[in-house]
Amino acid sequence: MSIIKKAIIVVAVLLIMAALTAVYIRVNPKWEPAKLTIETSKRNTVQQCTKPDGMTVETRFVPPEGYGRVSAEQGSFGEYLRNYPLYPDGTVLPIFNGLTDDSPYTAAVFYISVGDEGYQQCADSIIRLYSDYFYENGQYDKIAFRFSNGFECSYDKWRKGKRVLAFGG
């Protein structure tokens, strides 16, 4: 066997090993468990249109004086959100970098588990709420979201064993 053929085989084996290593790392990320500690806020102000003793979205947030709440259809996502449980008023949770954000603009914190594999942020949170709503109502076929590149990721395909493998941004 010539030197060139041996070199091609060695390069091919190295490329395959590099690809397999990249896939393994991507499929088995090393997450640092989230350290969720619940603290009470030090703010002394009561926000307008909130009732600090309310423990759901509907009971915490009240319409301004002279206004009424629009009804939500029974079983709708709107009704689901209105009845979503909240942490007690003044609760502070850690943000993505492990610090806490004691913002005077935080009116409520949803009582939702984020597990021990990281935090939910931004779009993750609304995707989670929609997914939980559809799951609890047995509408599994509606649990599907598009990535920023347009690729649809559906729960139905995931249940059948399909997995997404993304590289880069």
Side-chain angles (χ1 to χ4, degrees), residues 4-166:
I4 294 175
K5 286 183 181 178
K6 288 180 183 178
I8 290 173
I9 292 172
V10 168
V11 168
V13 168
L14 289 174
L15 288 173
I16 291 170
M17 289 175 56
L20 289 175
T21 302
V23 168
Y24 177 81
I25 290 170
R26 186 70 179 161
V27 173
N28 298 291
K30 299 295 180 199
W31 294 100
E32 184 175 317
K35 294 167 184 69
L36 297 177
T37 55
I38 299 172
E39 301 173 11
T40 303
S41 173
K42 295 168 183 63
R43 67 175 181 244
N44 300 336
T45 60
V46 176
Q47 297 178 347
Q48 285 186 307
C49 301
T50 63
K51 287 186 175 180
D53 59 340
M55 294 304 290
T56 65
V57 171
E58 186 168 39
T59 59
R60 176 81 52 91
F61 299 96
V62 295
E65 190 175 321
Y67 290 85
R69 190 180 304 276
V70 175
S71 62
E73 186 179 322
Q74 186 174 358
S76 69
F77 185 60
E79 181 193 45
Y80 176 79
L81 287 180
R82 286 183 183 182
N83 293 303
Y84 209 92
L86 302 173
Y87 277 103
D89 186 55
T91 298
V92 176
L93 293 174
I95 55 176
F96 69 95
N97 61 6
L99 301 174
T100 56
D101 184 15
D102 189 8
S103 170
Y105 306 108
T106 302
V109 177
F110 275 49
Y111 191 87
I112 189 169
S113 167
V114 293
D116 63 355
E117 291 188 355
Y119 297 99
Q120 290 176 175
Q121 309 175 56
C122 309
D124 301 342
S125 298
I126 194 66
I127 289 170
R128 169 70 183 276
L129 291 170
Y130 268 113
S131 299
D132 286 353
Y133 165 72
F134 289 135
Y135 189 88
E136 289 174 24
N137 287 286
Q139 299 176 20
Y140 308 121
D141 59 320
K142 291 188 177 179
I143 304 173
F145 301 93
R146 293 199 179 276
F147 294 148
S148 59
N149 66 359
F151 178 81
E152 182 181 82
C153 182
S154 76
Y155 177 64
D156 189 49
K157 288 179 183 174
W158 183 86
R159 286 190 325 175
K160 293 175 182 171
K162 307 247 184 209
R163 296 296 183 265
V164 175
L165 181 61

